[in-house]
Amino acid sequence: MDRATVGSANRGRLQVEVRTEGSSEIVKPAGELDHHTADLLRAPLDEALEQGRVRLVIDCSQLEFCDSTGLNVLLGARLKAEAAGGGVHLAGMLPVVARVFEITGAEAVFTVHDSVEAALSD
């Protein structure tokens, strides 16, 4: 087992890309979203909301892991976006991440799409 990344604060385990398309801010986390990397996702979500971009599409197609801290980041963004008249749309979740949302019941409070394209056309 590689102890350099397992259970460490190796922030390189999550990369986040952000782009604007129409009225949506598309945020694409890639890697592992957990206690150590949550701020890497929280920052661009907060920035988008502060700049008035309240329709957030989270492209989860490369998100390999999400723990409760990551889930809380997404739930917090959802509350802020909805309070501002927008929302958070999750797209392209891998089965392992979708299972976390299913187990916790979080899938019921998010709009979930099969792809980013589907989220953008909604």
Side-chain angles (χ1 to χ4, degrees):
M1 185 182 304
D2 181 4
R3 298 236 180 243
T5 57
V6 176
S8 75
N10 181 353
R11 296 172 70 84
R13 292 181 295 135
L14 185 74
Q15 296 179 357
V16 180
E17 295 177 15
V18 181
R19 74 180 196 276
T20 303
E21 191 165 324
S23 62
S24 298
E25 189 79 350
I26 301 170
V27 181
K28 183 177 183 178
E32 300 176 14
L33 177 57
D34 60 22
H35 172 73
H36 298 293
T37 61
D39 286 339
L40 295 173
L41 181 59
R42 182 181 290 113
L45 293 174
D46 286 348
E47 183 178 333
L49 292 165
E50 288 168 8
Q51 294 179 3
R53 294 188 304 274
V54 296
R55 188 175 194 286
L56 305 174
V57 174
I58 313 301
D59 179 352
C60 299
S61 64
Q62 293 184 7
L63 187 61
E64 300 166 358
F65 177 81
C66 181
D67 74 359
S68 61
T69 305
L71 185 59
N72 283 328
V73 168
L74 294 170
L75 288 167
R78 176 189 154 267
L79 291 174
K80 292 175 188 175
E82 287 182 356
V88 173
H89 300 258
L90 304 178
M93 278 198 283
L94 298 174
V96 68
V97 174
R99 181 78 174 127
V100 171
F101 282 77
E102 180 185 330
I103 290 170
T104 61
E107 68 180 359
V109 300
F110 286 100
T111 304
V112 180
H113 304 272
D114 290 336
S115 67
V116 171
E117 294 75 22
L120 292 173
S121 66
D122 182 21

